[in-house]
Amino acid sequence: MTPDLRPGASAEPSAADRRWLMHTYAEPPVTFVRGEGTMLVDERGRRYLDFLSGLAVTSLGHAHPAVAAAVAEQAATLVHVSNLFGNVLAPEVARTLDRLVGGGTEQAGGQVFFANSGAEANECALKLARRWAGAGGAAPRPGVVCAEDAFHGRTLATLAATGQEEKRRPFAPMPEGFVHVPYDDLDALERAVDPSRIGAVLVEPIQGEAGVVVPSSDYLARLRQLCTERGVLLVLDEVQTGLGRTGAWFAFQHLGIVPDVVTVAKALGNGVPVGACWARAEVAAAFSPGDHGSTFGGQPLAMAAARATLAVLEAEDAPRRAERAGARLAAGLAWVDGVDHVRGRGLLLGAVLAAPVAPAVTRAALDAGLVVNAPRPDVLRLAPSLLVSDEEIDQAVGVLADVLPAVLEGGPTP
């Protein structure tokens, strides 16, 4: 039945009435009202273990006191000022990000543009790549090679880069210049990277929305070599993998390579919307004043959250914690009946199931007080807080050990 939205309609809306929201998401099974650490609380007061972290966002857990205090103090000091003027926080956060891109101890020698999301960070990267490759000049190279099954965002350009036809189709025609090849296929990349028309390659070091897909160990290293040989930018989308989640500050650091452009967002503000695009200084120099901008990008409130988040991540040695906790979680999942194998790195893990029942398992897990999600019909994604405890890991594995066999016995649920 269509709800009556006429002025004066008699039905009294509840606090969580969603009639005035566009239907871009399915109706939620639960409404959360409070969080603390790895715990969420719904409107009925029921508690849940959050092993999704708002899609790898709240890496310090919910309502971390240092981030909450920084946001509250900044809100009472200065929330916003136009980028026509400076603020004292953005340069400090940019310097920290540059150092973390360099491995945490030395500056990487790059520059940062601040945005409000991962999609906007990737949009910046795509515009920068075209500017660098001479778009509008005598011999432009606007093309970008991307991977099938990749996910880079919902703006038109990042959607065009996304390698999922079902997401692109309703919004055709897409912006031109994007070429998709199979992920982890270097032969296909070599054929696609024509330096006369391609300016950049954009890939995720681990494909998150595709089901936590980890490429071959030499994929990124050989891709770096290919881009260098052909004079093409290597752009890495670390929106989901960045800032400690995989056991290094950035996933590319496991292989010792240096990309030309890196995008980051999800964990940067621990839930406060903020994204960033880092580029080597000589690449960043392709932008001139007026080429790109964002009204809210780099504003003081977001920067206060980012500064506090980065400080805690460093103080807690987040990569080390993610590596250790991820090993415990992966080992526990591997023993669960119905899990075929576990893939991923650190605390970004995909439990590949023996049957395509992941959506039903997520519902059953939620009913049992555990939040996970199903990026693919046969994959559960787990991305808990990097501060998750051993006890919470064992509890989460216990829930899945109970619900997964039960779902498998009952078969797939529509």
Side-chain angles (χ1 to χ4, degrees), residues 17-404:
D17 194 322
R18 296 174 59 85
R19 288 180 291 173
W20 289 269
L21 295 175
M22 289 190 184
H23 298 293
T24 56
Y25 295 94
E27 287 300 302
V30 173
T31 296
F32 293 118
V33 298
R34 185 167 58 84
E36 182 180 353
T38 313
M39 192 66 62
L40 284 167
V41 181
D42 70 14
E43 58 186 346
R44 299 169 298 168
R46 188 178 181 202
R47 296 163 69 86
Y48 301 76
L49 269 178
D50 183 6
F51 266 57
L52 190 57
S53 300
L55 296 173
V57 169
T58 52
S59 286
L60 299 178
H62 297 283
H64 191 281
V67 180
V71 170
E73 181 180 355
Q74 192 61 45
T77 304
L78 180 67
V79 170
H80 179 78
V81 20
S82 163
N83 282 312
L84 296 173
F85 308 96
N87 72 68
V88 297
L89 297 172
E92 179 183 349
V93 177
R95 180 178 174 83
T96 301
L97 280 175
D98 183 67
R99 177 169 52 77
L100 295 180
V101 168
T105 57
E106 297 182 4
Q107 298 300 137
Q111 295 178 316
V112 175
F113 174 85
F114 286 113
N116 311 289
S117 66
E120 291 176 66
N122 285 332
E123 188 85 15
C124 174
L126 293 168
K127 288 181 68 176
L128 177 60
R130 287 196 169 180
R131 196 74 168 91
W132 177 86
R141 297 184 293 149
V144 180
V145 175
C146 309
E148 293 175 2
D149 291 326
F151 182 82
H152 297 295
R154 302 278 190 169
T155 68
L156 276 177
T158 57
L159 189 58
T162 291
Q164 300 178 34
E165 176 61 25
E166 69 277 10
K167 289 184 171 63
R168 298 195 304 261
R169 190 181 304 113
F171 305 101
M174 289 284 102
E176 298 178 351
F178 294 90
V179 179
H180 294 90
V181 298
Y183 190 59
D184 199 17
D185 187 333
L186 284 161
D187 291 336
L189 269 168
E190 288 185 4
R191 292 191 297 269
V193 179
D194 177 355
S196 68
R197 60 187 183 88
I198 299 297
V201 175
L202 169 63
V203 296
E204 300 161 275
I206 296 174
Q207 288 192 324
E209 301 304 314
V212 193
V213 179
V214 182
S216 305
S217 59
D218 63 343
Y219 176 66
L220 288 182
R222 291 181 62 191
L223 179 53
R224 171 70 278 179
Q225 182 181 6
L226 176 67
C227 289
T228 300
E229 291 172 351
R230 301 193 182 180
V232 170
L233 295 182
L234 174 57
V235 183
L236 294 185
D237 178 345
E238 292 252 14
V239 167
Q240 188 161 164
T241 53
L243 298 179
R245 181 151 292 278
T246 68
W249 285 114
F250 292 91
F252 69 81
Q253 291 164 346
H254 292 292
L255 302 170
I257 67 169
V258 180
D260 300 300
V261 182
V262 179
T263 58
V264 60
K266 289 182 181 292
L268 183 53
N270 204 53
V272 173
V274 57
C277 175
W278 173 95
R280 291 190 296 109
E282 55 268 39
V283 176
F287 270 163
S288 298
D291 278 346
H292 194 50
S294 169
T295 295
F296 294 105
Q299 53 104 287
L301 190 67
M303 292 296 95
R307 181 173 67 174
T309 298
L310 293 174
V312 176
L313 286 170
E314 289 202 84
E316 293 283 353
D317 195 356
R320 181 191 61 81
R321 291 190 64 141
E323 184 176 29
R324 189 193 65 80
R328 185 184 187 93
L329 179 56
L333 291 170
W335 283 98
V336 173
D337 287 343
V339 172
D340 183 78
H341 63 280
V342 180
R343 62 194 183 200
R345 194 151 195 171
L347 281 173
L348 179 60
L349 297 177
V352 183
L353 307 183
V357 295
V361 175
T362 64
R363 291 193 292 270
L366 189 67
D367 289 342
L370 174 67
V371 180
V372 294
N373 88 319
R376 286 292 186 267
D378 63 340
V379 179
L380 296 175
R381 174 171 46 182
L382 297 94
S385 160
L386 306 188
L387 307 186
V388 65
S389 69
D390 288 351
E391 180 184 7
E392 289 166 335
I393 289 172
D394 295 345
Q395 288 175 0
V397 170
V399 170
L400 292 176
D402 288 339
V403 303
L404 179 52

Side-chain angles (χ1 to χ4, degrees), residues 1-6 9 17 19 23:
M1 178 179 178
T2 302
D4 187 354
L5 297 181
R6 295 173 298 173
D17 194 322
R19 288 180 291 173
H23 298 293

